[in-house]
Amino acid sequence: MARMVTTRHKVISTVAAWLVGFLIFFPILWMVLASFKTELEAFAIPPSFLFFHWTTENYVTVQERSDYLHHALNSIIIAGGSTLIAMLIAIPAAWSMAFSPTKRTKDVLLWMLSTKMMPPVGVLVPIYLIYRNLGLLDTRTGLVFILCLGNLPIVIWMLFTYFKEIPKDILEAARMDGATIGRELIYVLTPMAVPGLASTLLLNLILAWNEAFWTLNLSTLEAAPLTVFIASYSSPEGLFWAKLSAASTLAIAPILVLGWFSQRQLVRGLTFGAVK
Amino acid sequence: MATQQTQLLARTLLTPAVALLFIWMIVPLALTIYFATLHYNLLDPGSESFVGLENFRYFLTDPAFLASLQNTLVLVGSVLAITILLGVPLALLLDQQVVGLSIVRLMVIAPFFVMPTVSALVWKNLLMHPVSGLFAWIAHLFGLPAIDWFNDAPLFSVILIISWQWLPFATLILLTALQSLDEEQKEAAEMDGASALSAFIYITLPHLARPITVVILIETIFLLTVFAEIFVTTGGGPGLQTTNIAFLIYSQALIQYDVGSASAGGLVAVVLANIVAFFLVRIVGRNLEA
């Protein structure tokens, strides 16, 4: 009897979960389908779900007409560059706070967190003017720099929570054996820190890839990453749905894959360790 | 000796990050405060003059400010309500025994990884278009009139899109919290004959209180400055109906080139965000000690 109830329970929750999951995922699926339709079919009523003339023509046109690869490359450079630089600055800082904490470490951490709370729009005006005067508007350097600063607090926080979990006894043991700090870093700390480093890197790549405030405001064409490129589809209504879908599918596909790998770290990184 | 050396090294390693973040926080903010006291329009160069608090008076008494403040609050409040009221049951559902749970979880989490400009445009065109959108076709199937979403209910349309983006975030955090709930506690309640409902009210809900607070605070921080979704769908319109504080500041700065007024607005946004940040930092800080 009890077993019957459990099985029924399982069937019901499975069906419900799949249904809800499908509904939530549907807009993405619908977009991917539209990217394989002709413009006419993408716009057609009633819509065709699977039985349409599948074509990859949109993907070709998107590249030919609007130089998709140029913007994809911008995205890669901006997201990758800002994440790497942020990591280079954050690793020593997080290492130092996790392994040689002082009385003020907690305050420093919370202060870093509070810089992330500043709404970007609050400093839009000065940043825009500074960038204009320095000739950094619509440059990849400018965007790398600003996204790096924007994500730095999250990177430091994530690394800190990972580093703190590395048992200190091991480091002490290494020190007793006469390991220098350099050796300690390379042979003891690094192997234990790699998983944390990898997930921090991943999450911040995703955040930087999808960043759509600074990229929209500080770049127009030359340095425009995919967020801005997609936004350019907002004006001509209707006729470009299939191409919009193709460009969008290409823009989100790599990040969707990375994101799925990093869902656990997402919680940790975005809640600053408040929920584990 | 060794410890002193270590301390020095630790401080050296920390300095670049602290210095950069300090500059990043102080310089633009100081400039914003400075600009906010100036009459400064980029279209009228050379006319900068000190006007004291005039910009604040102008910004705060501008009818557009009240409208955008209201829109901001409605937007933040609605998205919070939707994502939590749907997120809790969804997290509970995903915490059950579900065949193929990992795939379901992938589907649920996916919208969070879609860049804002993509989700906004896909919803606006493919789903919500009054003639050729999927919603219009579904309404037609049920014999209902199609809704012209962005004309008849522009703010609600934006809220819908943003809720779709943030529901995965709320669900994922609540699910993580649920999974850390002690199984034994639940079983004990079951053995004591507690109904599923009372177990939910007395055990699960109190356990979720903290993650829900965290979701509220973090979402609020991001939602206060929603920008891209409005930028690509409505451009703040029709009229001011979807203009939030962030978009108002943007349009004053980069469309009207009114640096002074936009800066004053920026400071208002900073104050708003700080009220929320104050509570979030306290919660995180408490956790840091535990």
Side-chain angles (χ1 to χ4, degrees), chain B residues 219-232:
Chain B
E219 281 193 13
T220 306
I221 289 189
F222 284 97
L223 295 175
L224 274 176
T225 54
V226 160
F227 175 76
E229 291 83 350
I230 297 174
F231 180 80
V232 297

Side-chain angles (χ1 to χ4, degrees), chain A residues 9 18 106 117 270 273-274, chain B residues 96 99 210 218 221 287 289:
Chain A
H9 182 93
W18 275 88
K106 190 188 147 193
M117 313 276 167
L270 287 180
Chain B
Q96 308 296 312
V99 180
R210 219 175 76 116
I218 292 176
I221 289 189
N287 198 55
E289 263 154 18

Side-chain angles (χ1 to χ4, degrees), chain A residues 100-170:
Chain A
S100 311
T102 63
K103 275 175 290 178
R104 278 177 306 171
T105 297
K106 190 188 147 193
D107 296 329
V108 173
L109 271 168
L110 290 179
W111 167 74
M112 286 177 168
L113 175 64
S114 70
T115 64
K116 182 67 198 164
M117 313 276 167
M118 188 161 60
V121 76
V123 292
L124 169 65
V125 175
I127 295 290
Y128 184 85
L129 291 179
I130 291 172
Y131 269 45
R132 195 187 61 158
N133 291 345
L134 295 178
L136 284 173
L137 284 179
D138 204 16
T139 63
R140 293 192 285 226
T141 319
L143 286 175
V144 165
F145 190 67
I146 203 111
L147 295 197
C148 168
L149 284 173
N151 279 339
L152 193 56
I154 296 186
V155 182
I156 295 178
W157 260 88
M158 275 186 84
L159 290 175
F160 173 78
T161 58
Y162 282 114
F163 287 174
K164 229 178 61 168
E165 277 166 21
I166 297 175
K168 284 209 179 99
D169 303 356
I170 291 186

